Amino acid sequence: MNNNAINMKIGDLSRISGISRSSIHYYIRIELLPPPEQKNGKIAYYGEEHLELLKQIKSMRDEGLSLYIIKQMLSNKVSKDISSLAVQKQKAPVTQIRDKETKKQMIIEAAAKIFSEKGYFQTNISDITDELGIGKSSFYLSYKNKEEVFLACIDNIFQDLWKEDFPKINRETDVASKLRMRGYAFLKAYPRIKDIVLLARAASVGAEDKTSHKIEDITAKIVSPVLKDLKILNSLGIYDKFDPELIAFAMVGAAEAIAYRLTMDDKYTLEDGFKTLDKINYFSPKLTE
């Protein structure tokens, strides 16, 4: 099937299919959907194949099937003639996987999806295990409780943020250009991490110290490379009238605000967001008092 038969932005695809943007991003991440075509390397377009697959996924989810079983059925690893009840009783091979890290990652992927859909406080361990088609005992072999797997999901945010662009950013020697690359990478990655970021902040209100400290740690990790670049610019006389740490937090905050706006609808593109950051002298202006 030609996935370019219909050119849709993600907002159109979400509206027509009835599937949320966050779910579409998640399905691509776990390879349940193929990635979209990016024209000019900027704007993502989805086609007929994506729409048809989403219709199938929605239908099977309505029958109560787990994403694991759906993925197996779509890849013809499980017969589509098997009744829904029989499939539902099958156990995903999480319990058969000997590698502990692989097993943990599968649980994290499922948990992140459920947390994003239901929220932290409304999510139960059974929601996560049902998503994978495993028993609670398999979950507890990997994680002690819901909080621990949630903290693991937060850890994944930082790992996922710049992983695609980090090698290129790391090779760049011009500091101002490096800041631009970080800004663009952040805008590009934000749709994948938005739900867990917002959820983490909500869950941190009145949460245990462990959760609050974890969120502070992740924030510091996101700000840290920006701060490092700013200190170099500061030594060159750029931003020298301002505290580089405060500027770093202001930059990340501005980037996140614009990134969030880009996810609301299709009015603005990724390139629009990037140009806006550039126009407001986000990257390397000679600030004055």
Side-chain angles (χ1 to χ4, degrees):
M1 184 181 295
N2 180 8
N3 67 348
N4 295 318
I6 300 176
N7 286 328
M8 294 175 285
K9 294 182 180 179
I10 191 168
D12 300 319
L13 183 63
S14 176
R15 175 176 51 80
I16 296 172
S17 66
I19 305 295
S20 69
R21 292 167 181 244
S22 60
S23 292
I24 292 172
H25 284 300
Y26 178 70
Y27 294 160
I28 293 171
R29 183 176 176 181
I30 64 173
E31 299 181 349
L32 198 56
L33 283 178
E37 177 185 350
Q38 287 192 310
K39 293 190 175 181
N40 300 321
K42 306 295 182 184
I43 304 175
Y45 284 97
Y46 300 80
E48 183 178 343
E49 180 182 10
H50 296 96
L51 182 58
E52 290 302 316
L53 281 172
L54 285 175
K55 288 179 179 178
Q56 292 181 54
I57 293 168
K58 187 175 187 300
S59 176
M60 288 187 276
R61 289 291 279 164
D62 289 342
E63 293 178 12
L65 303 183
S66 70
L67 288 179
Y68 173 80
I69 292 297
I70 292 173
K71 188 173 182 179
Q72 299 301 299
M73 291 177 70
L74 291 177
S75 61
N76 295 318
K77 292 181 180 179
V78 173
S79 171
K80 293 184 180 181
D81 293 330
I82 298 176
S83 69
S84 297
L85 180 60
V87 174
Q88 190 68 350
K89 289 181 178 179
Q90 291 189 47
K91 298 296 183 181
V94 177
T95 54
Q96 301 172 17
I97 297 175
R98 295 183 179 181
D99 183 72
K100 292 183 179 180
E101 293 307 313
T102 301
K103 186 184 296 184
K104 284 187 173 183
Q105 187 60 37
M106 291 179 69
I107 293 174
I108 287 174
E109 294 283 359
K113 174 66 165 53
I114 300 299
F115 285 137
S116 296
E117 289 182 346
K118 300 187 66 173
Y120 177 77
F121 296 106
Q122 284 70 43
T123 296
N124 299 314
I125 298 298
S126 58
D127 295 321
I128 300 170
T129 56
D130 288 348
E131 180 71 16
L132 286 168
I134 63 174
K136 289 185 179 180
S137 59
S138 294
F139 174 90
Y140 288 118
L141 286 173
S142 297
Y143 295 99
K144 295 178 182 178
N145 49 41
K146 181 175 73 172
E147 182 189 22
E148 188 174 47
V149 73
F150 182 64
L151 293 176
C153 290
I154 297 175
D155 272 331
N156 267 22
I157 292 174
F158 178 69
Q159 295 173 15
D160 192 49
L161 185 57
W162 283 319
K163 67 179 181 181
E164 294 180 4
D165 298 274
F166 183 77
K168 185 167 57 176
I169 293 173
N170 204 36
R171 289 193 299 269
E172 179 58 56
T173 56
D174 180 75
V175 181
S177 296
K178 186 175 288 190
L179 272 176
R180 284 187 171 86
M181 294 167 71
R182 291 193 197 283
Y184 188 82
F186 183 90
L187 293 183
K188 186 172 67 173
Y190 188 77
R192 301 197 304 269
I193 66 172
K194 180 191 73 172
D195 292 326
I196 291 296
V197 168
L198 297 177
L199 188 58
R201 287 177 178 157
S204 68
V205 178
E208 298 291 334
D209 287 343
K210 188 176 180 181
T211 302
S212 297
H213 290 161
K214 174 62 69 175
I215 294 168
E216 291 173 3
D217 179 56
I218 292 298
T219 301
K221 286 181 178 178
I222 293 173
V223 172
S224 178
V226 177
L227 177 58
K228 181 179 178 181
D229 292 341
L230 286 175
K231 285 182 176 179
I232 295 175
L233 291 175
N234 187 275
S235 68
L236 298 174
I238 301 173
Y239 290 116
D240 58 338
K241 298 182 184 299
F242 296 86
D243 186 294
E245 183 174 354
L246 292 178
I247 293 295
F249 273 89
M251 281 185 164
V252 172
E256 184 177 354
I258 290 176
Y260 180 80
R261 177 61 186 89
L262 296 182
T263 66
M264 292 172 62
D265 52 43
D266 294 322
K267 183 177 181 180
Y268 302 106
T269 66
L270 177 63
E271 191 63 26
D272 291 330
F274 182 72
K275 287 180 179 178
T276 299
L277 289 178
D278 216 3
K279 286 179 180 178
I280 62 176
N281 292 328
Y282 171 88
F283 299 108
S284 58
K286 179 74 174 180
L287 294 179
T288 58
E289 292 181 324

